Amino acid sequence: MTPHSHSREHNWLEPYAPIDVLKPAAADVWIVDGPEIEFGLGWLKVPFTTRMTVVRLRGGDLVLHSPVRHTAALQTAVEALGPIRYLIAPNSLHYWWLPDWKARLPGATVLAVPGLQKGAKRRVVVDMELTGHDTPWPEEIDMLIVSGDVLTEAVFFHRASRTLILTDLIENFEPKRIHGWFYRVLMKIGGVIDPDGKAPFDMRLSFFRHQKSLRSAVRRMINWQPERVIISHGRWYEADGVKELKRAFRWVL
């Protein structure tokens, strides 16, 4: 399994237009839908839509979660909301465009899950590893770390807006946006088709030895009582966050 590579613009997936544009998601929370990207599974290249989440802290600083493709126009639009202080690589696969943002924002702090620098296919300078349950903003954003055999992911909960921010632990591709029967079948087999998106089948298998810790993590997410759940790939959940978590993680609860 290789990490996300560069954008191919094959348009196997219809993007969530407009791309590279800020879209309000909740109070002090925005998303930016990016271009299609390919994910390598050996010889097979699977297309994914991409999504960044932007959170504005109470002091006005901005946190960029899983940065999408950098453009000057997008940076200008984001900076109109406040200064970009933090760049997050929330798991070992979501980092590809982060160095491009860091190159233009040398003062920003890069936060990443443990082990990212060792396995990354691009050079990523990490200022702080995400471990335990503490974030640099403990009064505003809760965090927990979910670890399996293949993937370690940092999960974030923005308290004020009751927004849970996931990356790959739930994927939810809409069939109407998948161009080509092969990819529709592949994603259906993987169990990541809307309205019943969840972790892909291979990822679920990778948590076989970690079911107890994953179950505990999911229960904590549910106890946060999120109103919405933002994910990186596919349709995100604008409402009924707790219901969607219970549905998507029923395989481990």
Side-chain angles (χ1 to χ4, degrees), residues 87-89 95 98 102 108-118 120 122-130:
L87 306 171
I88 297 180
Y95 66 86
L98 191 150
K102 176 64 174 179
T109 299
V110 173
L111 301 94
V113 291
L116 175 66
Q117 287 175 294
K118 182 178 179 180
R122 294 190 70 185
R123 182 171 181 268
V124 182
V125 177
V126 176
D127 299 305
M128 178 185 297
E129 285 196 338
L130 298 167

Side-chain angles (χ1 to χ4, degrees), residues 171-175 191-198 235 237 244 247-248 250:
E171 297 173 3
N172 188 48
F173 296 95
E174 297 176 89
V192 293
I193 289 290
D194 180 68
D196 194 24
K198 58 185 79 69
R235 182 179 68 86
Y237 307 105
E244 296 293 358
R247 175 200 54 75
R250 65 185 183 276

Side-chain angles (χ1 to χ4, degrees), residues 44-238:
L44 179 62
K45 304 298 182 184
V46 181
F48 283 77
T49 52
T50 57
R51 180 173 296 122
M52 170 171 74
T53 304
V54 179
V55 177
R56 183 165 56 197
L57 302 172
R58 276 183 281 213
D61 290 346
L62 300 180
V63 180
L64 273 55
H65 173 279
S66 187
V68 292
R69 173 180 65 184
H70 178 277
T71 70
L74 177 57
Q75 180 177 338
T76 298
V78 174
E79 289 179 325
L81 302 174
I84 302 170
R85 301 296 191 200
Y86 303 94
L87 306 171
I88 297 180
N91 69 29
S92 52
L93 304 176
H94 279 246
Y95 66 86
W96 189 259
W97 283 305
L98 191 150
D100 300 330
W101 287 85
K102 176 64 174 179
R104 294 161 178 84
L105 298 160
T109 299
V110 173
L111 301 94
V113 291
L116 175 66
Q117 287 175 294
K118 182 178 179 180
K121 301 299 183 182
R122 294 190 70 185
R123 182 171 181 268
V124 182
V125 177
V126 176
D127 299 305
M128 178 185 297
E129 285 196 338
L130 298 167
T131 59
H133 299 298
D134 293 328
T135 70
W137 334 278
E139 296 180 356
E140 299 183 60
I141 299 178
D142 291 308
M143 180 186 73
L144 58 84
I145 303 296
V146 178
S147 296
D149 288 337
V150 174
L151 185 77
T152 295
E153 179 166 316
V155 173
F156 299 91
F157 179 65
H158 183 239
R159 294 183 192 174
S161 66
R162 291 175 57 199
T163 300
L164 183 69
I165 306 171
L166 304 181
T167 311
D168 289 323
L169 289 174
I170 300 177
E171 297 173 3
N172 188 48
F173 296 95
E174 297 176 89
K176 66 182 180 182
R177 293 181 180 273
I178 305 171
H179 303 306
W181 66 268
F182 175 75
Y183 289 114
R184 282 195 293 271
V185 170
L186 187 67
M187 291 179 177
K188 185 173 183 179
I189 292 172
V192 293
I193 289 290
D194 180 68
D196 194 24
K198 58 185 79 69
F201 180 70
D202 60 333
M203 187 182 298
R204 279 176 268 155
L205 288 178
S206 77
F207 280 103
F208 180 77
R209 297 189 304 116
H210 308 272
Q211 291 190 51
K212 184 176 180 180
S213 60
L214 177 59
R215 186 178 301 115
S216 176
V218 172
R219 286 173 175 167
R220 188 165 182 223
M221 295 181 217
I222 291 171
N223 288 339
W224 282 334
Q225 294 289 295
E227 182 175 328
R228 65 191 57 76
V229 181
I230 297 177
I231 60 177
S232 292
H233 307 298
R235 182 179 68 86
W236 61 283
Y237 307 105
E238 299 183 52

